[in-house]
Amino acid sequence: MSGISIDGKTKLYGVIGNPVKHSFSPRMHSTAFQLLGINAVYLPFHIITEQLPNLLNAFTITGVQGFNITLPHKENIVPYLDLLSNDAEVLQSVNTVIKTETGWKGYNTDGSGFIRSLSDADISIRGRKVLIVGAGGAARSIAVALAREGVADMIILNRTSSKAESLATLLHDISSGISVKTGYTQGDHPDIVINTTSVGMKGNQCPIPDEIVLDCDQIIDIIYNPSQTPLLKKAEERSIPYLNGLDMLLYQGVEAFEIWTGQTAPIAAMRESLIASIYG
Ligand code: ATR
């Protein structure tokens, strides 16, 4: 790997969040820049909500070319951007920003990254029935991307039913052909079940009752740490194919990298970097 020697032409990228110091993105993107010999660095920026109104001015002055956004700013950044991609507009949520000739443009690569992780794992979704657990930011990105990719039926299950209803309305608005319902009924038999909640990150909790686990053909948990959540352990015990969230994390970064550089991202090296950072 060729190292980067910082000079007057080095470009600056980063991630904003609060907290941000545990982010895996600086190492992943730095690895990618180095491997492709791109003269750029990627840094974490601890930004509090009160600083957002001045942030883009500060980034313009200091020459930042692009940045990622993590919690809790994905929605709050939107009013300050000049342009939004279609997905970012629909979701009103942004995780990737690039400086363009016409201003700062926001994208949301969480959903498209998720779709790429499925295609990498040979999981087909067109025409299938998908049950999503959760209705927060991650669920919305994933559900919108799945609807655009031709999922036929969607079931949304959430602790707070009003949020499930609001996601169902959004899906109907963007896709006329899709059938959406909230709440699981015995025998629904979804092809794919996706956990988007944080349940399973700590302890032995499983976000999905056994009857649903037993009623599907594929289980996806977007949690990547631990690599095998209690839900995925159940899937393994019952010989149900499963996927964790590592590749979703990877591909949202891959897509951001490609938006910034216009180059094909070094996916294998980025994955290795993530694995070393998270599980190493
Ligand atoms: P993210 O951006 O990661 O999606 P979020 O927008 O805060 O985070 O959404 C978290 C999702 O996980 C929500 O659907 C939340 O349910 P509520 O809408 O009822 O709050 C769900 N969630 C979080 N903790 C949960 C728990 N202990 N049990 C069930 N659902 C939970």
Side-chain angles (χ1 to χ4, degrees), residues 9-278:
K9 293 185 199 142
T10 304
K11 292 195 166 135
L12 179 55
Y13 293 86
V15 53
I16 67 161
N18 178 18
V20 77
K21 68 179 176 194
H22 301 298
S23 169
F24 305 117
S25 297
R27 188 163 161 188
M28 175 172 68
H29 285 290
S30 298
T31 300
F33 285 140
Q34 283 178 30
L35 200 67
L36 298 193
I38 296 171
N39 187 357
V41 293
Y42 184 110
L43 298 173
F45 296 105
H46 183 110
I47 299 294
I48 59 169
T49 304
E50 291 69 26
Q51 292 169 323
L52 283 182
N54 296 320
L55 183 76
L56 294 177
N57 242 344
F59 277 180
T60 300
I61 291 165
T62 48
V64 170
Q65 302 293 311
F67 59 99
N68 285 128
I69 302 157
T70 186
L71 294 176
H73 302 316
K74 288 184 180 187
E75 281 102 29
N76 296 338
I77 190 82
V78 169
Y80 304 106
L81 298 170
D82 303 300
L83 300 153
L84 292 176
S85 73
N86 194 286
D87 277 352
E89 175 83 47
V90 164
L91 294 162
Q92 288 295 299
S93 168
V94 164
N95 77 332
T96 301
V97 174
I98 183 171
K99 189 184 198 175
T100 72
E101 280 177 6
T102 44
W104 293 97
K105 179 166 183 184
Y107 291 80
N108 192 310
T109 69
D110 288 331
S112 48
F114 179 76
I115 298 295
R116 265 174 90 166
S117 78
L118 296 192
S119 100
D120 203 32
D122 277 330
I123 299 169
S124 73
I125 46 181
R126 186 162 292 278
R128 319 279 305 268
K129 186 189 269 193
V130 177
L131 183 147
I132 295 183
V133 183
R140 289 166 70 84
S141 312
I142 287 170
V144 164
L146 289 173
R148 290 203 200 288
E149 291 295 315
V151 159
D153 290 271
M154 203 104 72
I155 303 166
I156 302 157
L157 211 60
N158 194 48
R159 178 177 60 181
T160 309
S161 58
S162 58
K163 276 167 76 181
E165 295 297 341
S166 129
L167 176 51
T169 305
L170 175 66
L171 294 174
H172 276 132
D173 287 348
I174 62 154
S175 172
S176 53
I178 197 166
S179 146
V180 187
K181 74 163 190 158
T182 57
Y184 170 82
T185 317
Q186 202 183 10
D188 270 343
H189 195 71
D191 298 300
I192 305 171
V193 167
I194 305 168
N195 172 48
T196 71
T197 75
S198 53
V199 179
M201 267 183 199
K202 293 193 184 105
N204 201 27
Q205 276 185 302
C206 179
I208 297 166
D210 280 6
E211 63 166 330
I212 302 183
V213 172
L214 290 169
D215 191 29
C216 74
D217 298 331
Q218 170 87 47
I219 294 187
I220 301 171
D221 198 329
I222 71 162
I223 295 171
Y224 50 83
N225 195 13
S227 63
Q228 193 182 53
T229 56
L231 171 64
L232 297 186
K233 193 159 189 295
K234 267 188 198 173
E236 180 162 48
E237 284 162 6
R238 278 137 207 196
S239 304
I240 301 165
Y242 64 90
L243 183 70
N244 73 15
L246 182 75
D247 276 1
M248 178 183 174
L249 177 67
L250 167 68
Y251 280 110
Q252 64 73 33
V254 163
E255 299 246 315
F257 186 89
E258 293 180 349
I259 287 168
W260 294 327
T261 65
Q263 298 193 39
T264 303
I267 295 171
M270 290 170 81
R271 183 186 276 114
E272 267 175 40
S273 154
L274 277 183
I275 290 171
S277 304
I278 301 169

